[in-house]
Amino acid sequence: QVQLVESGGGLVQPGDSLTLSCVASGGTSSSYAMAWFRQAPGKDREFVAAISWSGSTTYYGDSVKGRFTVLKDRRTLYLDMNSLQPEDTATYYCEADEMNLGPTDEYSYWGQGTQVTVPV
């Protein structure tokens, strides 16, 4: 069983930057395809970014393109977030899978989430 633990969330001001991290432990694979999703209160879950098993391919949701960058180092996933806006306020979840799933919502493993708050 793979465990995912996110960190790095917090309260920031509009225009600030923040980096989220997610560490995968357990399991037998040396690397995983990984992704970030987010969910704000009262809203549907939203795809944010994903990166392939090898790290060679990345995917981004339309609302974060050009502002967020997803990076991976084997079992550690990062999300560099720049120019944060109040609409980025959400709980951010890390997900992982042995298969390259891209922006689909079919990852087998997910973490507990980390909160990012950008006040109006």
Side-chain angles (χ1 to χ4, degrees):
Q1 186 70 13
V2 175
Q3 292 83 40
L4 301 173
V5 178
E6 303 98 334
S7 62
L11 173 66
V12 296
Q13 296 304 307
D16 283 354
S17 298
L18 197 64
T19 297
L20 305 182
S21 301
C22 171
V23 179
S25 61
T28 58
S29 182
S30 61
S31 184
Y32 294 92
M34 301 179 80
W36 291 99
F37 287 79
R38 67 186 182 186
Q39 188 164 23
K43 294 188 177 181
D44 292 335
R45 221 157 80 100
E46 179 186 11
F47 168 74
V48 176
I51 189 165
S52 63
W53 190 95
S54 67
S56 62
T57 305
T58 56
Y59 309 83
Y60 294 95
D62 289 341
S63 63
V64 305
K65 279 180 183 176
R67 299 189 299 124
F68 290 11
T69 302
V70 64
L71 303 163
K72 189 171 74 72
D73 179 12
R74 297 186 69 181
R75 286 169 159 245
T76 302
L77 180 69
Y78 303 95
L79 186 67
D80 286 337
M81 304 186 293
N82 296 304
S83 301
L84 284 161
Q85 300 301 318
E87 51 266 34
D88 295 316
T89 295
T91 301
Y92 285 71
Y93 297 92
C94 169
E95 303 196 0
D97 200 281
E98 289 85 353
M99 303 289 291
N100 285 324
L101 298 175
T104 67
D105 194 8
E106 298 176 359
Y107 289 79
S108 299
Y109 315 110
W110 55 93
Q112 295 299 307
T114 185
Q115 178 68 34
V116 173
T117 302
V118 187
V120 175

